[in-house]
Amino acid sequence: MTMRVRVIGAGVAGLTAAYEFARAGCDVELVERREGPGLGCSYLAGGMISPWCEEEGAEPPVIEMGIESLRYWTEIVPVATTQGSLVFAPAHDRTELTRFERLTSERERIGAAAIAALGPYLAGRFDDALYFPREAHLDPRAATDALAERLGAMANVSLRYGVDAANAQGAVDWTVDCRGFDARDKLPQLRGVKGEMLVLYTREVTLSRPIRFIHPRHPVYIVPRGDGRFMIGATMIENEEEGRITARAMLELLGAAYAVHPAFAEAEIIETGAGVRPAFADNLPGLRIEGRIIYVNGLYRHGFLAAPALARRAAAIALEGASVEEAMHAHRGQRQEA
Ligand SMILES: Cc1cc2nc3c(=O)[nH]c(=O)nc-3n(C[C@H](O)[C@H](O)[C@H](O)COP(=O)(O)OP(=O)(O)OC[C@H]3O[C@@H](n4cnc5c(N)ncnc54)[C@H](O)[C@@H]3O)c2cc1C
């Protein structure tokens, strides 16, 4: 008999989980209480698929899932662009670049001429940088829309927007709870880490790849979105306040953008936003099981980086009878193969 699965939440966790179960032949119902896909925390993400940069601060499981997901976003749901990424430090903080280099792999230290060759707009701006050629980036809104579109075209999937899970009806074999920070009623150990971002519009700068700018308080980055738009993110604040962006965040994000290129000073601010990243105590994305409910959560700063890999692990539990421990370790070794 066909397995029936209800996925709750159409953020990146829910959409990737629904797709994984649907691809495996299950009957999938996805319920999302908002009116469209990816409108929660996922709507605000930068979309850097940069597992090797993340070695600077994240634990090995995140890097392994990130390498797996890089393949997903470039081959299975190919919405990412592989142009690598660049890391810069302020001129007075070059030792920070050396520290970043020491903690990471799959990168080259490059000088002014190579920086200019990668982007004429960066010519003369920095004497050196780290270049991670294998990394990719995507537009999270385009990625969630693409997944929703694929799911919508599958006969075994029903997408139901504007429906709270509390009102979903009908028996299912498994429920996959992907409610992000809203799942703390069932996962009291979840905490929220506020992230603020903004989007600038300017035709005066052209960038082909994300730039990280080493900053004493936050990992600040600029992600090109095309059509003159640049996402600047993101603060990391241990509180659970959504929506409001502070003057301090705005100053810090704009300051970093301006340090990368002064032309950003003339850009138009076309969007600001603040979301709450769901995180477990160890900051690792994870799975929890309660009866026939699988919780996919704790994606923290790594939603797009980790969700496809986590979805595979969730499917292994329901379809192959794996334990959480087995599922989380089954894909070890991806890193060596990548
Ligand atoms: C500013 C910022 C920048 C970020 N940058 C990056 C980045 O560059 N790369 C990266 O990988 N990650 C990044 N992240 C992190 C990433 O956005 C999150 O890890 C990810 O979006 C979490 O996804 P999720 O699906 O778990 O949660 P969400 O996206 O919040 O989705 C949960 C969904 O569940 C729905 N829901 C809740 N309750 C119910 C209910 N009762 N019934 C039905 N539906 C329900 C919600 O409406 C929501 O749509 C960033 C986050 C922020 C805030």
Side-chain angles (χ1 to χ4, degrees):
M1 214 175 91
T2 307
M3 184 181 284
R4 292 157 305 168
V5 179
R6 177 172 297 128
V7 178
I8 308 174
V12 68
L15 290 163
T16 49
Y19 190 48
E20 211 52 43
F21 281 96
R23 283 205 294 164
C26 303
D27 278 341
V28 176
E29 177 193 49
L30 176 66
V31 291
E32 163 57 54
R33 71 174 172 202
R34 300 185 213 230
E35 291 299 333
L39 293 173
C41 190
S42 302
Y43 191 71
L44 299 168
M48 290 177 299
I49 311 300
S50 52
W52 296 286
C53 273
E54 288 299 327
E55 287 177 318
E56 188 245 349
E59 298 293 322
V62 174
I63 317 306
E64 285 161 15
M65 286 192 256
I67 293 170
E68 203 179 315
S69 298
L70 185 60
R71 206 177 273 163
Y72 181 91
W73 293 120
T74 52
E75 292 173 19
I76 297 171
V77 183
V79 290
T81 307
T82 308
Q83 286 282 349
S85 35
L86 281 167
V87 180
F88 294 116
H92 60 271
D93 245 350
R94 303 258 301 269
T95 51
E96 279 300 305
L97 200 62
T98 303
R99 188 190 64 84
F100 203 106
E101 182 178 17
R102 205 179 53 245
L103 294 171
T104 55
S105 62
E106 297 291 331
R107 72 311 175 235
E108 306 158 26
R109 188 137 182 176
I110 59 172
I115 295 170
L118 282 174
Y121 281 87
L122 298 170
R125 300 288 317 140
F126 295 91
D127 291 335
D128 61 359
L130 294 174
Y131 176 45
F132 292 74
R134 296 175 64 193
E135 296 191 334
H137 66 282
L138 52 76
D139 177 341
R141 301 169 192 183
T144 50
D145 283 351
L147 271 168
E149 202 175 308
R150 280 209 186 183
L151 288 165
M154 294 170 92
N156 54 333
V157 177
S158 132
L159 286 180
R160 301 179 62 215
Y161 298 125
V163 175
D164 193 295
N167 301 323
Q169 284 173 0
V172 290
D173 299 300
W174 283 93
T175 298
V176 185
D177 186 320
C178 303
R179 287 181 293 141
F181 190 53
D182 289 322
R184 64 198 182 287
D185 57 340
K186 296 288 184 192
L187 301 172
Q189 66 275 42
L190 267 187
R191 75 180 203 287
V193 181
K194 180 174 176 177
E196 293 146 293
M197 54 76 82
L198 46 100
V199 182
L200 299 181
Y201 173 79
T202 176
R203 289 288 181 188
E204 299 300 315
V205 184
T206 304
L207 300 176
S208 309
R209 54 189 62 77
I211 288 176
R212 291 185 189 229
F213 189 67
I214 295 176
H215 183 278
R217 271 174 27 96
H218 310 288
V220 180
Y221 51 81
I222 303 173
V223 188
R225 287 277 164 82
D227 295 328
R229 292 167 306 129
F230 299 87
M231 186 275 193
I232 322 286
T235 58
M236 299 264 293
I237 301 168
E238 291 286 336
N239 78 39
E240 298 171 353
E241 176 195 56
E242 243 179 312
R244 194 176 74 99
I245 177 163
T246 63
R248 178 182 191 142
M250 185 78 97
L251 274 170
E252 289 181 346
L253 297 176
L254 288 175
Y258 181 69
V260 169
H261 203 293
F264 279 118
E266 295 300 323
E268 183 183 345
I269 301 171
I270 56 172
E271 182 181 333
T272 63
V276 178
R277 307 174 181 94
F280 290 125
D282 57 7
N283 290 336
L284 291 177
L287 304 173
R288 307 283 186 271
I289 300 207
E290 187 190 303
R292 304 288 280 182
I293 305 175
I294 304 172
Y295 294 92
V296 180
N297 217 310
L299 286 161
Y300 182 46
R301 297 180 50 223
H302 304 121
F304 287 80
L305 191 69
L310 208 53
R312 273 178 76 187
R313 287 151 176 73
I317 290 173
L319 300 169
E320 297 161 24
S323 65
V324 170
E325 189 70 358
E326 287 162 350
M328 293 306 283
H329 290 93
H331 301 282
R332 281 266 158 93
Q334 295 282 340
R335 190 170 185 178
Q336 286 73 21
E337 289 164 29

